[in-house]
Amino acid sequence: LSYLSASAVSELTSAKGFHGALLDRGCRHLHPLKYALGLAKAAAEAGVRIYEGTRGQPQADGASGLVTTAFGAVKARQVVLGCNAYLGKLVPKLAGNIMPINNFVI
């Protein structure tokens, strides 16, 4: 970590009114939307069909590969849950293993 003076903060960022900052050159950040779009593109190129806006309900066992929707059911060898951490009891087997985390970057 290195300390930045107010003038250094102004030179490096568009931030206004800061008296200083800590710069961590060992830290990294990714753009969540670009990451999600990149994953979706790679999945589509691999032959995966993505159905946005379709609520699917995996089976409680989390292993059968069966997902039901309002329009029918899909059976697959593998099911990927593309969700955030707020799954509730969507897959009870996973519920105790997921912890929501907040990340704030200025």
Side-chain angles (χ1 to χ4, degrees), residues 4-105:
L4 298 178
S5 66
S7 61
V9 173
S10 295
E11 288 174 25
L12 292 173
T13 72
S14 60
K16 304 248 186 278
F18 286 90
H19 299 282
L22 286 176
L23 176 61
D24 183 352
R25 294 194 185 273
C27 183
R28 300 293 181 260
H29 177 71
L30 65 93
H31 190 291
L33 177 59
K34 289 181 180 179
Y35 179 63
L37 293 173
L39 287 176
K41 181 180 178 192
E45 288 172 355
V48 173
R49 291 187 297 184
I50 299 171
Y51 296 93
E52 293 183 63
T54 302
R55 183 175 178 85
Q57 179 64 54
Q59 296 302 299
D61 65 11
S64 68
L66 183 64
V67 177
T68 57
T69 75
F71 306 103
V74 176
K75 178 130 175 110
R77 285 187 307 249
Q78 297 177 334
V79 174
V80 176
L81 295 175
C83 306
N84 65 18
Y86 301 96
L87 299 176
K89 302 271 187 219
L90 180 65
V91 180
K93 186 177 179 179
L94 296 177
N97 297 311
I98 297 174
M99 181 171 81
I101 297 173
N102 289 320
N103 182 10
F104 301 97
V105 178

